[in-house]
Amino acid sequence: MKKVVFLLMMITVLLSSCGEYNKILKSTDYELKYSYAKKYFNAKQYNKSATLLDELVTIFKGTAYAEESLYLLAQSYYGQKDYQTASQYFNTYYTTYPKGEYTELSRYYSGYGLYLDSPDPRLDQTQTYEAINQLQLYLEYYPQSERAAEAQKIMFELQEKLAYKELLAVRLYFNLGNYMRDNNFLSAVITAENALKNYPYSKYREEFMFYILRAKYEQAVLSVEEKLQGRYREVVDEYYTYMNEYPEGKYVKQAQKFYDYASKRITDVY
């Protein structure tokens, strides 16, 4: 019996709440509507607050409520984990109010939200690039902020994701080899060299360098006669480049084999 009474009470509360919300939606008392938007926001009912604020930000343009309502709208979408929409509204906020009360927070959350929504490295990374861009702008504007260290850490994490995506491409090119008569070894080299330029401090640096050596070795082995000597010399050069940076690296034994093979086959003056 007590359970039945409790359930009835809960249903009554829910119906009352829904009735209240629907009544507020239809209201033309915008200040009242705004007070309820803030009430729902503070109660973490972000869907309700966003619905109300979507209407109010347009109505409140040029009023005392304009700035705060726009920021709350961005945070309402952020609270719903709709980070792309939230980022757009944060961007609108700090563009509209470059010296506003919530400008620093808007710049930070614009990038941080996109970071939270950054896709798997195998997918398109447009959002990751935009997150890095937003966080870079944040650091330029607020280099001494208490959030600066966290922003830098996140940027490095995102850059590592981009570096890993490039590494996946390098591995794929290498594994394809001369498939369909395409020189995928050359593509592997070019992709790895570009990655080293773009992400010089990546934890994948050694692997990029080794793939350059390995791909050039495979190119030499499969090369036509007139290109053999030049490509063997390239293998030797890449061996020294790798060994100078990683004399005790995890690929030293394999690198040594490539060097031994190539150096013994160089017949002209080196």
Side-chain angles (χ1 to χ4, degrees):
M1 184 64 182
K2 289 182 178 180
K3 289 183 178 180
V4 173
V5 172
F6 177 75
L7 286 172
L8 288 172
M9 290 176 63
M10 288 299 296
I11 291 170
T12 301
V13 170
L14 287 172
L15 289 174
S16 174
S17 175
C18 290
E20 174 192 77
Y21 178 63
N22 288 328
K23 183 178 178 181
I24 293 300
L25 276 176
K26 296 174 184 177
S27 175
T28 56
D29 185 339
Y30 299 122
E31 289 191 14
L32 176 66
K33 188 174 284 191
Y34 187 49
S35 70
Y36 270 89
K38 294 173 73 172
K39 172 186 173 182
Y40 292 133
F41 179 84
N42 291 329
K44 298 184 179 180
Q45 294 178 295
Y46 299 119
N47 184 52
K48 290 182 178 180
S49 63
T51 301
L52 295 174
L53 289 165
D54 263 322
E55 174 191 8
L56 293 172
V57 291
T58 302
I59 294 169
F60 284 160
K61 280 185 178 180
T63 72
Y65 300 113
E67 184 177 341
E68 184 184 50
S69 64
L70 180 56
Y71 178 72
L72 288 178
L73 179 59
Q75 284 288 6
S76 292
Y77 279 109
Y78 184 89
Q80 294 178 77
K81 298 184 179 180
D82 183 350
Y83 298 119
Q84 291 191 47
T85 304
S87 181
Q88 291 170 7
Y89 278 115
F90 283 128
N91 190 296
T92 300
Y93 177 90
Y94 70 68
T95 302
T96 307
Y97 305 103
K99 296 183 179 180
E101 181 179 354
Y102 309 104
T103 299
E104 180 184 342
L105 288 171
S106 292
R107 284 192 175 277
Y108 178 77
Y109 281 113
S110 179
Y112 187 74
L114 293 175
Y115 154 70
L116 293 176
D117 212 28
S118 179
D120 182 273
R122 293 167 180 80
L123 302 176
D124 178 76
Q125 295 299 304
T126 300
Q127 196 159 310
T128 302
Y129 284 110
E130 182 58 25
I132 292 172
N133 181 56
Q134 291 291 334
L135 290 168
Q136 182 62 54
L137 286 172
Y138 174 78
L139 288 171
E140 289 176 9
Y141 278 93
Y142 306 100
Q144 304 302 321
S145 167
E146 61 183 15
R147 299 176 184 83
E150 181 67 16
Q152 289 176 327
K153 178 183 176 182
I154 292 169
M155 282 180 60
F156 186 75
E157 182 181 332
L158 292 171
Q159 288 168 343
E160 284 291 72
K161 177 181 283 190
L162 295 176
Y164 182 63
K165 183 177 179 65
E166 293 304 295
L167 181 59
L168 292 176
V170 171
R171 290 172 179 172
L172 177 60
Y173 283 131
F174 182 86
N175 290 333
L176 286 172
N178 282 338
Y179 178 70
M180 297 294 289
R181 297 185 179 180
D182 290 331
N183 190 348
N184 293 297
F185 291 123
L186 178 58
S187 296
V189 170
I190 292 172
T191 304
E193 288 177 340
N194 287 335
L196 287 172
K197 291 176 184 177
N198 294 328
Y199 313 107
Y201 306 110
S202 171
K203 63 183 177 183
Y204 305 112
R205 180 177 178 83
E206 182 183 357
E207 192 167 351
F208 282 126
M209 294 183 69
F210 177 68
Y211 264 111
I212 293 172
L213 168 60
R214 191 179 178 190
K216 287 193 173 183
Y217 168 78
E218 294 294 339
Q219 272 191 287
V221 170
L222 298 172
S223 183
V224 295
E225 185 65 32
E226 60 266 26
K227 293 184 178 179
L228 274 177
Q229 292 302 305
R231 287 184 171 172
Y232 282 141
R233 288 196 296 271
E234 287 183 10
V235 172
V236 171
D237 287 343
E238 290 302 334
Y239 165 79
Y240 284 119
T241 299
Y242 173 79
M243 291 299 295
N244 283 338
E245 192 159 339
Y246 298 101
E248 297 181 3
K250 58 183 178 181
Y251 303 111
V252 166
K253 289 184 179 180
Q254 289 171 273
Q256 188 67 51
K257 290 179 181 178
F258 298 152
Y259 170 78
D260 291 343
Y261 183 92
S263 61
K264 289 174 182 178
R265 284 162 177 76
I266 296 176
T267 56
D268 54 1
V269 178
Y270 183 67

